[in-house]
Amino acid sequence: MRRITRIATVGVASAALALSATACGGKTSSSAGSDSDGDKAAIAYDIGGRGDQSFNDAAYAGLSKAQKDLGIEGKEAEPSDGESDTDKVQRLTELARAGNNPVIGVGFAYAPAIKKVAPKFPDTTFGIIDDSSVTGKNIANMVFNEEQGSYLAGVAAAKVSKSKVVGFIGGVETPLIKKFEAGYVQGVKDTDPSVNVLPQYLTQPPNFDGFSKPDLGKAAAQGQLDKKADVVYSAAGLAGSGAIEAVSKAGKWNIGVDSDQYNQEGLANYKESILTSVTKDVSDAVFNLIKSVKDGKPQTGEIRYGLDKDGVALSTSNPAFTKMTDVIAAVDKAKQDIIDGKITVKTAP
């Protein structure tokens, strides 16, 4: 079902909104913030849509900032359940035809669609997050060193674990999510080789439910808790909210992903269990691309965000985390060692 709406206020959606938006499927909305009929930018969301408290919400934050600071009109397009590449091609084509520039695909799943659509609109800049495989004169590839942030998460997990068992939950077993696993496991083992890491993936391609169904994350987390895990790091989009709920109710530690999940409204009931989050500056990446187009100097090619540019980081919003001075010191040292090249983080397990 497709419908056109105007959102009157800007804010973080709740988990309930996320579920209802996804259920509607294929929704396109126009975000308020500017009545301008000039500059327009659009983002097409990944699986789970806006309100996932994670990846998509980070992209929305960048669009929202562009609306406020740059006076652009923002457009949003939601995915539909079980959609094909053809659906994505249609979505991006509609956004480009409507005069949006740039048009940003949130997630690597948009690579085949952007490969087809971008050449047909040479004067439109297309951005894609988490993919560098599809290239072109009008394509900007916004990629991150997820493994570096995940290494820091592994350091923290190893330092705080009392059971010497920690978990990793990946939404879908793809090369991108395996970067999260690789860095996390390496960080754990470099810090304390005696700590056992339990890696688990919710689904396998082409089934991408592992990014959208909280019940899958909740069940996986419960299984890891039953195996004595007392820290669980979830890189699973909306499904990760289910894992966070289960871990919180068990009184153990969560490590969030992409957004600073301690501050996500939809996870407020579980925030005290979110020790930290591996953040990706998707918000700035989206904002910077929109600004570059508005300034007449559109970004193209690979734009990489790593620890050296604070493109990935470990959040410190939870006061309980910042009080752990020995953990913070170990994380800070690991961060500097990665930046200085003393530690090379693996990108595959």
Side-chain angles (χ1 to χ4, degrees):
M1 177 174 70
R2 281 192 174 273
R3 58 189 177 91
I4 306 297
T5 62
R6 178 163 291 275
I7 301 174
T9 58
V10 174
V12 179
S14 66
L17 173 61
L19 292 173
S20 64
T22 304
C24 283
K27 180 186 71 176
T28 301
S29 67
S30 174
S31 297
S34 171
D35 292 325
S36 170
D37 57 0
D39 297 323
K40 298 191 292 184
I43 53 177
Y45 291 119
D46 199 4
I47 297 165
R50 179 150 73 88
D52 66 351
Q53 318 299 324
S54 184
F55 185 50
N56 289 298
D57 281 357
Y60 171 69
L63 179 67
S64 177
K65 184 175 187 291
Q67 291 174 181
K68 180 180 178 181
D69 294 358
L70 306 177
I72 63 99
E73 180 182 347
K75 298 285 185 178
E76 304 168 76
E78 293 279 359
S80 55
D81 291 338
E83 68 181 21
S84 66
D85 286 341
T86 300
D87 296 316
K88 291 183 175 65
V89 167
Q90 179 183 353
R91 181 175 306 123
L92 297 182
T93 299
E94 289 177 357
L95 292 172
R97 281 178 177 165
N100 295 291
N101 188 18
V103 173
I104 302 171
V106 183
F108 61 83
Y110 279 95
I114 285 180
K115 184 176 181 179
K116 289 184 178 180
V117 178
K120 298 177 182 178
F121 297 89
D123 295 328
T124 299
T125 296
F126 288 82
I128 183 166
I129 302 172
D130 285 346
D131 179 86
S132 59
S133 68
V134 55
T135 58
K137 293 181 179 180
N138 60 332
I139 298 175
N141 308 90
M142 297 170 279
V143 292
F144 300 81
N145 293 119
E146 295 91 355
E147 72 281 358
Q148 295 179 349
S150 296
Y151 184 98
L152 302 185
V155 172
K159 294 286 287 184
V160 304
S161 177
K162 295 179 180 178
S163 67
K164 300 295 184 180
V165 180
V166 300
F168 171 80
I169 297 175
V172 183
E173 191 168 0
T174 64
L176 173 67
I177 303 303
K178 291 182 82 68
K179 287 174 67 181
F180 288 88
E181 178 196 349
Y184 181 64
V185 172
Q186 186 181 346
V188 169
K189 293 298 184 180
D190 284 357
T191 304
D192 187 345
S194 70
V195 175
N196 185 28
V197 184
L198 307 175
Q200 182 175 352
Y201 288 88
L202 302 180
T203 60
Q204 300 288 324
N207 180 356
F208 285 86
D209 287 350
F211 287 139
S212 63
K213 296 192 174 181
D215 60 317
L216 296 180
K218 186 175 183 179
Q222 189 58 58
Q224 294 191 342
L225 292 166
D226 291 343
K227 294 177 182 178
K228 307 304 181 184
D230 59 357
V231 185
V232 178
Y233 173 32
S234 303
L238 183 59
S241 64
I244 288 173
E245 178 185 353
V247 173
S248 174
K249 289 182 176 179
K252 306 302 181 182
W253 286 119
N254 280 291
I255 295 178
V257 76
D258 290 340
S259 296
D260 184 352
Q261 296 194 298
Y262 179 86
N263 288 325
Q264 291 297 308
E265 183 179 330
L267 298 173
N269 290 338
Y270 317 119
K271 64 186 298 182
E272 299 306 326
S273 75
I274 302 174
L275 181 70
T276 182
S277 297
V278 177
T279 60
K280 291 166 57 172
D281 204 353
V282 173
S283 174
D284 266 11
V286 169
F287 176 84
N288 291 342
L289 180 59
I290 295 171
K291 186 177 187 301
S292 76
V293 173
K294 182 175 176 64
D295 291 345
K297 299 178 181 179
Q299 294 177 328
T300 59
E302 183 177 291
I303 307 157
R304 182 165 292 278
Y305 294 84
L307 279 179
D308 58 337
K309 299 177 182 177
D310 292 323
V312 294
L314 211 58
S315 66
T316 56
S317 297
N318 191 337
F321 183 50
T322 56
K323 289 178 182 177
M324 300 175 182
T325 53
D326 60 327
V327 180
I328 296 295
V331 167
D332 288 345
K333 182 180 185 302
K335 176 182 177 179
Q336 195 59 52
D337 284 348
I338 292 171
I339 293 173
D340 293 342
K342 294 178 181 179
I343 296 175
T344 301
V345 186
K346 299 175 183 178
T347 56

